[in-house]
C-alpha cells in the first residue's frame, strides 16, 4: 500500500492524543503496572506444568482431567478471595451434555430379503431411529450446497419422504457425512449456515428426507475399521440450546452400496467426485433403524468475579477469558504419545488468566469496574462453553463492556526456524491481535496505545479482518461474546508444528513471551475497566454477528 503524507500526519496526531490516556494504566509505578509486574514467567511455567501435565489427560470435554483442572482453578480463586460467579455460589457453571453411543443390538439394515450385519457392513453415523425407516431411495450426489460456488447437489432431487443416498470420494467426516466437494476450503464457509452454505445432512433434512445412507468411498473403505469406531462422545448436545436433531444416518460399505445400485437405472456414484444427482430407482426394499443409548454427563465453565472499586462502575465488568479444554487422548494414536496436552492450546491462555487473577488479588488497589474471569469448556468441540455462557449467563451479560480472549500465546518462532509448519507462527516479541479494530474504535485504540506505551510488542493485525480466509475471528470463544454485542480483542500466537498434535508440550513454551503478552493484556484490561465510558461498538459488523 502506498503511504500518503496526510495519513502519516493523522497518525501522529492520533498517537499524541491517545498517549496521555495510555499512560494511565501503563505509566511506571501506576497501580496497574505494579500489579502487572507480579505476572512472571516462573509462575506461568509452574501453573502450566500442572494444567498441561499427562495427569490431566488432554482435558477433553467432558473428562476427569478437565474437572480436575477446574477444581485446581477453583481452589486458587477461593484462596485469593475471588467471588464465585458460577451456579449457586460456586465457581462452576454446570453444563449438561447428552452422550450418545450406538446400540448395534437394536439397529437393523435390510436390503431386499438380506439382513446386513452391524459394524462389518454398516454403522450408525448420526441421528437415531428406534423404528424401521423404509422409503424410496433417491440419489443426492455429495449432498452439499455452496451458493457462491454454484454447488447444489440436491437442486433437482425430490427428497420429500425419501431416503437420500450420498456418495463422495475422499475421506468423509462425521460432522458432515461426506468429504468436501472439490475446490471447497475453509474460506468458503462464509455467510449463514443453512442459507449460504448447507452441509449434506442439514440439506437433506431441509428437503424433507426421512433418512440418509452414505456409501463408503475407496478411502473410507480402506480405513473402515477406524471410521466405524465412534469417538467416546459422538454428538453430544448441550441441553436447552443444542436441541436440533439430525436425520437418522447410516454409513454403508461399498459392497452394500453396489447391491443397492445393482439394478438402478443409472449408477453415477463412484463415477466422479461430485456426480450430479440423478433419479435413482431400485426394486429392492430398503429399510434401516439406527438405535442409540443416551446418557447424561456434565462439564463446567469456571467463573469468578473481582469486584471493582468504584461504587457505580463496579456494576459493569471487563471479561477476560480462555478455554481450559483441549482435545483429550487417543489410545489408538500411531505415535507413542497418546495424550494431546494442549500446553499452548489453550493451557497458555488458561494459566495467563490465572496469573492475572493472582496479580489482581495481590494488588493493593483495584480497577474501577469489576473483572469477570471465565474459563470455558468445550471450545474444541465447537465453542460450547462460551455459547452456553452467553446464552445462559450467570451474571448480567449486558453489563460486560468488553471481552479479552486469550487462546494460544505461548509459542514463538525462532529466527533460524525453517520448518514450513511454523511459517505463520509469531516471533518472540510478536503476537497476532484479532478483532480489536473490527467492532469498537475505542477498544482498538486502547489496545494499541497500551502496548505502544508499555512493552512495545509487535502487534500483527493481519487476521483482524472478517474476510481473512483463516477465519480466526470466528474460531474462538470471543466470537460468542461478539454475537452478544460485546466488543472483543483476541490474542493469538499463530498456528505451528504442534498445533492440535500430541507434541503441544509445556517444555516448548516461550515463557518470557507469555509473561510479556499476559502483562500487556492485564494493563489493557485495567485501562478498559477504568474508562469513564464503556467502549462503544461503532464499526460495521460482519453479517455473522448481526444475523443471529
Ligand atoms: Zn484454542
Amino acid at each position: 500500500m502506498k503511504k500518503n503524507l496526510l495519513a502519516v500526519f493523522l497518525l501522529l496526531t492520533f498517537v499524541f492524543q491517545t498517549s496521555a490516556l495510555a499512560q494511565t494504566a501503563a505509566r511506571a509505578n501506576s497501580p496497574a503496572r505494579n500489579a502487572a509486574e507480579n505476572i512472571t514467567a516462573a509462575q506461568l511455567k509452574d501453573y502450566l506444568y500442572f494444567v498441561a501435565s499427562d495427569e490431566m489427560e488432554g482435558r477433553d470435554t467432558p473428562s476427569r482431567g478437565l474437572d480436575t483442572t477446574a477444581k485446581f482453578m477453583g481452589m486458587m480463586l477461593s484462596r485469593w478471595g475471588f467471588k464465585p460467579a458460577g451456579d449457586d455460589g460456586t465457581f462452576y457453571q454446570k453444563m449438561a451434555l447428552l452422550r450418545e453411543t450406538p446400540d448395534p443390538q437394536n439397529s437393523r439394515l435390510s436390503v431386499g430379503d438380506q439382513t446386513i450385519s452391524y459394524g462389518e457392513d454398516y454403522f450408525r453415523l448420526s441421528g437415531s431411529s428406534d423404528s424401521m425407516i423404509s422409503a424410496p431411495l433417491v440419489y443426492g450426489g455429495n449432498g452439499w450446497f455452496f451458493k457462491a460456488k454454484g454447488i447444489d447437489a440436491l437442486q433437482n432431487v425430490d427428497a420429500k419422504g425419501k431416503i437420500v443416498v450420498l456418495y463422495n470420494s475422499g475421506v468423509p467426516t462425521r460432522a458432515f457425512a461426506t468429504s468436501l466437494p472439490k475446490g471447497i476450503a475453509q474460506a468458503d464457509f462464509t455467510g449463514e449456515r443453512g442459507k449460504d452454505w448447507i452441509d449434506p445432512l442439514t440439506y437433506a433434512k431441509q428437503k424433507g428426507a426421512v433418512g440418509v445412507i452414505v456409501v463408503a468411498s475407496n478411502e473410507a473403505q480402506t480405513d473402515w475399521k477406524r471410521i466405524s469406531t465412534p469417538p467416546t462422545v459422538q454428538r453430544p448436545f448441550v441441553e436447552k440450546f443444542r436441541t436440533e436433531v439430525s436425520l437418522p444416518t447410516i454409513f454403508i460399505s461399498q459392497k452394500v452400496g453396489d447391491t443397492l445400485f445393482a439394478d438402478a437405472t443409472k449408477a453415477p456414484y463412484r463415477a466422479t467426485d461430485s456426480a450430479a444427482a440423478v433419479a435413482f430407482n431400485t426394486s429392492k426394499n430398503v429399510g434401516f433403524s439406527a438405535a442409540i443409548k443416551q446418557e447424561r454427563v456434565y462439564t463446567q465453565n469456571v467463573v469468578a468475579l473481582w469486584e471493582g472499586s468504584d461504587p457505580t462502575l463496579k456494576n459493569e465488568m471487563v471479561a477476560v477469558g480462555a478455554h481450559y479444554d483441549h482435545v483429550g487422548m487417543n489410545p489408538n494414536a500411531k505415535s507413542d504419545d497418546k495424550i494431546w496436552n494442549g500446553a499452548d492450546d489453550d493451557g497458555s491462555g488458561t494459566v495467563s488468566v490465572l496469573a492475572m487473577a493472582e496479580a489482581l488479588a495481590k494488588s493493593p488497589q483495584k480497577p474501577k469496574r469489576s473483572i469477570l474471569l471465565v474459563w470455558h469448556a468445550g471450545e474444541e468441540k465447537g465453542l460450547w462453553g462460551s455459547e452456553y455462557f452467553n446464552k445462559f449467563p450467570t451474571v448480567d451479560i449486558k453489563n460486560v463492556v468488553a471481552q479479552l480472549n486469550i487462546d494460544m500465546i505461548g509459542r514463538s518462532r525462532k529466527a533460524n526456524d525453517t520448518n514450513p509448519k511454523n511459517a505463520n507462527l509469531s516471533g518472540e516479541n510478536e503476537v497476532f491481535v484479532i478483532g480489536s479494530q473490527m467492532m469498537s474504535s475505542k477498544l482498538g485504540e486502547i489496545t494499541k496505545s497500551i502496548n505502544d506505551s508499555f512493552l512495545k510488542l509487535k502487534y500483527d493485525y493481519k487476521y483482524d479482518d472478517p474476510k481473512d480466509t483463516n477465519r480466526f475471528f470466528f474460531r474462538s470463544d470471543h466470537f460468542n461474546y461478539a454475537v452478544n454485542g460485546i466488543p472483543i480483542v483476541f490474542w493469538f500466537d499463530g498456528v505451528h508444528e504442534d498445533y492440535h498434535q500430541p507434541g503441544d508440550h509445556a517444555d516448548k513454551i516461550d515463557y518470557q513471551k507469555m509473561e510479556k503478552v499476559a502483562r500487556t493484556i492485564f494493563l489493557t484490561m485495567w485501562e478498559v475497566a477504568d474508562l469513564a465510558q464503556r467502549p462503544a461498538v461503532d464499526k460495521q459488523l460482519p453479517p455473522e454477528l448481526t444475523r443471529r
Side-chain angles (χ1 to χ4, degrees):
M1 208 189 339
K2 209 176 113 209
K3 261 188 197 156
N4 78 53
L5 281 174
L6 180 65
V8 172
F9 172 75
L10 289 173
L11 190 72
L12 284 173
T13 40
F14 173 80
V15 171
F16 284 124
Q17 276 170 359
T18 58
S19 62
L21 171 144
Q23 280 170 8
T24 317
R27 69 166 201 275
N29 276 322
S30 74
R33 177 89 173 254
N34 287 340
E37 282 161 6
N38 275 326
I39 299 169
T40 67
Q43 164 205 36
L44 293 164
K45 187 176 178 181
D46 257 2
Y47 293 154
L48 192 57
Y49 268 74
F50 179 82
V51 166
S53 63
D54 280 356
E55 285 80 359
M56 298 308 121
E57 299 184 331
R59 307 188 305 279
D60 199 6
T61 306
S63 71
R64 171 76 75 101
L66 193 68
D67 294 347
T68 307
T69 309
K71 281 284 153 68
F72 164 67
M73 294 188 296
M75 177 187 72
M76 300 308 271
L77 293 163
S78 170
R79 278 188 178 184
W80 296 331
F82 275 78
K83 195 170 159 190
D87 302 329
D88 312 319
T90 72
F91 288 111
Y92 313 107
Q93 181 189 34
K94 247 187 176 185
M95 280 197 288
L97 309 172
L98 215 48
R99 173 178 284 168
E100 298 176 344
T101 43
D103 181 2
Q105 260 84 46
N106 294 306
S107 299
R108 298 275 176 281
L109 169 62
S110 60
V111 179
D113 49 14
Q114 227 188 320
T115 299
I116 316 291
S117 72
Y118 192 98
E120 217 169 288
D121 277 311
Y122 84 101
F123 61 89
R124 173 244 182 202
L125 192 73
S126 61
S128 72
S129 170
D130 289 338
S131 55
M132 228 31 194
I133 297 166
S134 199
L137 304 182
V138 65
Y139 184 65
N142 62 42
W144 283 96
F145 177 84
F146 284 94
K147 196 179 182 179
K149 295 273 177 161
I151 293 173
D152 188 350
L154 302 185
Q155 188 173 23
N156 302 312
V157 178
D158 175 16
K160 199 164 170 43
K162 302 196 175 109
I163 295 170
V164 175
V165 181
L166 298 175
Y167 173 83
N168 197 17
S169 62
V171 183
T173 65
R174 278 195 174 264
F176 292 144
T178 69
S179 58
L180 296 181
K182 267 208 180 91
I184 293 292
Q186 177 93 35
D188 297 306
F189 288 83
T190 51
E192 197 180 345
R193 183 177 191 170
K195 227 175 115 191
D196 297 309
W197 65 272
I198 318 176
D199 66 278
L201 299 185
T202 306
Y203 198 16
K205 193 177 172 185
Q206 278 185 10
K207 286 267 188 170
V210 294
V212 174
I213 294 177
V214 185
V215 186
S217 62
N218 292 336
E219 292 86 345
Q221 195 62 55
T222 316
D223 209 7
W224 183 265
K225 202 177 147 45
R226 187 184 64 82
I227 67 160
S228 63
T229 311
T232 331
V233 178
Q234 193 171 311
R235 278 186 71 84
F237 48 86
V238 178
E239 280 177 358
K240 296 199 278 185
F241 86 102
R242 284 286 169 93
T243 50
E244 81 268 17
V245 178
S246 51
L247 277 180
T249 303
I250 59 166
F251 203 85
I252 62 171
S253 66
Q254 289 193 335
K255 196 177 87 189
V256 181
D258 290 347
T259 316
L260 286 188
F261 282 83
D263 61 352
T265 50
K266 281 180 190 173
Y269 102 102
R270 292 215 244 164
T272 64
D273 178 67
S274 49
V278 294
F280 177 90
N281 297 307
T282 176
S283 58
K284 290 196 178 69
N285 247 323
V286 177
F288 73 87
S289 65
I292 52 166
K293 288 178 191 148
Q294 288 188 333
E295 183 192 354
R296 197 175 294 195
V297 292
Y298 293 92
T299 189
Q300 64 280 309
N301 292 321
V302 181
V303 194
L305 195 78
W306 191 250
E307 220 160 63
S309 61
D310 184 280
T312 310
L313 289 177
K314 75 172 183 183
N315 294 318
E316 293 185 333
M317 292 158 275
V318 178
V320 183
H323 70 91
Y324 73 108
D325 69 303
H326 193 56
V327 298
M329 300 186 285
N330 180 4
N332 301 319
K334 288 192 182 89
S335 64
D336 288 341
D337 193 351
K338 315 284 187 201
I339 302 173
W340 273 244
N341 300 85
D344 190 30
D345 188 8
D346 182 25
S348 63
T350 300
V351 304
S352 294
V353 180
L354 198 63
M356 287 166 75
E358 191 170 8
L360 278 172
K362 284 182 177 166
S363 167
Q365 272 111 332
K366 292 176 166 192
K368 290 178 181 163
R369 284 184 179 78
S370 297
I371 306 297
L372 178 73
L373 306 177
V374 188
W375 288 266
H376 306 99
E379 191 269 357
E380 302 285 4
K381 305 282 181 194
L383 315 185
W384 288 356
S386 53
E387 183 174 349
Y388 194 82
F389 185 77
N390 277 276
K391 287 186 173 163
F392 309 104
T394 54
V395 299
D396 191 351
I397 200 85
K398 291 190 304 296
N399 291 340
V400 175
V401 305
Q403 201 258 355
L404 312 183
N405 184 34
I406 314 176
D407 190 356
M408 298 167 64
I409 57 163
R411 292 287 288 257
S412 61
R413 186 174 175 275
K414 305 290 170 278
N416 59 358
D417 188 345
T418 53
N419 186 343
K421 286 183 177 165
N422 294 334
N424 291 310
L425 179 59
S426 53
E428 288 172 23
N429 216 41
E430 183 183 24
V431 68
F432 296 107
V433 180
I434 302 172
S436 74
Q437 304 178 336
M438 265 171 60
M439 298 184 72
S440 164
S441 312
K442 185 74 184 174
L443 187 58
E445 189 183 301
I446 289 169
T447 304
K448 185 180 181 305
S449 59
I450 284 285
N451 179 53
D452 288 346
S453 52
F454 184 44
L455 298 173
K456 298 182 179 58
L457 296 164
K458 187 178 171 236
Y459 269 6
D460 189 331
Y461 293 98
K462 78 170 173 183
Y463 299 129
D464 194 359
D465 174 359
K467 291 186 187 69
D468 159 45
T469 54
N470 295 284
R471 296 181 60 74
F472 290 127
F473 179 79
F474 305 95
R475 287 170 57 188
S476 186
D477 294 316
H478 58 269
F479 174 69
N480 285 311
Y481 292 82
V483 167
N484 249 339
I486 298 165
I488 64 98
V489 191
F490 167 35
W491 284 264
F492 172 58
D493 59 22
V495 288
H496 50 77
E497 58 185 322
D498 293 310
Y499 172 70
H500 280 217
Q501 297 298 323
D504 184 3
H505 289 160
D507 60 2
K508 293 178 186 166
I509 296 291
D510 178 346
Y511 291 97
Q512 298 301 329
K513 171 177 174 170
M514 233 173 112
E515 176 192 287
K516 284 186 261 186
V517 178
R519 285 180 177 185
T520 308
I521 298 170
F522 184 89
L523 286 191
T524 311
M525 169 199 84
W526 197 301
E527 185 72 27
V528 177
D530 280 1
L531 284 177
Q533 302 292 330
R534 61 191 286 175
V537 175
D538 58 354
K539 294 287 185 82
Q540 175 68 47
L541 300 177
E544 285 88 341
L545 294 183
T546 52
R547 274 193 203 147
R548 301 210 337 178

